[in-house]
Amino acid sequence: DAGVTQSPTHLIKTRGQHVTLRCSPISGHKSVSWYQQVLGQGPQFIFQYYEKEERGRGNFPDRFSARQFPNYSSELNVNALLLGDSALYLCASSWANEQFFGPGTRLTVL
Amino acid sequence: KNEVEQSPQNLTAQEGEFITINCSYSVGISALHWLQQHPGGGIVSLFMLSSGKKKHGRLIATINIQEKHSSLHITASHPRDSAVYICAAGGGGSNYKLTFGKGTLLTVNP
């Protein structure tokens, strides 16, 4: 059975651009969470979605948004990119609070 | 003060040594997670525990709810154990989110 998948694996953007990151959870998992990991730091919680509804939001600006689709896959959108948005973006799907992480998307903003 | 504190930040050991990584948290939790992250980003969940002790192979995780403290032990360490080990506190009421420590970089030399 496939684990959590994320696309793309790497992405380079310039300041001011917009980016969309995608995540497919493990089959049967209805909850998806997004995390940002800046180099040298632990991940920071961005969003959690469950059954297509936002259940939690971390301390991130409104430039960050997300949604979950009927098949439980999810997108994370970031508008007006800043240099500081360069990070590894991790998606996790969960079952009974146990989190399964995807490989991440490494975003570089130039 | 971070809500989840890990120590040490860096740890170097010789192959075969017994290793302990500590985690203290100040948030209310439903569960405490230990995660392993290899260079390149992939995160693997090692343990999720809400009380007592869990063992998997050479890895042992313990938690003391009253003292808000958890430890990860590695017995007979091996160079392939070299990675970043991250403690994360899980909870948050109606949504389940993880609050991460900054991680402990473990290097095991042959």
Side-chain angles (χ1 to χ4, degrees), chain A:
Chain A
D1 190 17
V4 178
T5 59
Q6 292 186 243
S7 63
T9 54
H10 294 84
L11 198 53
I12 299 174
K13 292 283 190 179
T14 57
R15 282 177 295 176
Q17 285 189 310
H18 161 270
V19 68
T20 298
L21 310 181
R22 295 177 176 85
C23 172
S24 292
I26 291 172
S27 177
H29 289 191
K30 299 179 181 179
S31 176
V32 169
S33 299
W34 287 95
Y35 299 91
Q36 180 197 63
Q37 186 178 26
V38 173
L39 193 65
Q41 300 291 319
Q44 297 286 322
F45 172 74
I46 310 175
F47 287 109
Q48 189 206 20
Y49 276 78
Y50 179 77
E51 288 275 20
K52 295 166 285 182
E53 290 190 2
E54 182 184 303
R55 288 293 186 91
R57 170 186 283 257
N59 188 24
F60 280 81
D62 291 343
R63 299 184 295 107
F64 288 76
S65 63
R67 55 180 176 167
Q68 187 176 33
F69 299 98
N71 66 354
Y72 304 113
S73 67
S74 178
E75 284 182 355
L76 175 70
N77 296 283
V78 187
N79 293 322
L81 286 166
L82 303 174
L83 295 179
D85 295 331
S86 296
L88 180 69
Y89 288 85
L90 294 159
C91 169
S93 72
S94 63
W95 177 260
N97 293 335
E98 185 154 9
Q99 308 260 316
F100 298 84
F101 286 85
T105 293
R106 187 163 298 282
L107 172 65
T108 302
V109 182
L110 302 176

Side-chain angles (χ1 to χ4, degrees), chain A residues 35 37 42-43 48 55 97, chain B residues 33 37 48 95-97 100-101:
Chain A
Y35 299 91
Q37 186 178 26
Q48 189 206 20
R55 288 293 186 91
N97 293 335
Chain B
H33 299 250
Q37 186 171 31
M48 181 179 77
N95 69 287
Y96 191 81
K97 71 167 193 174
F100 293 81

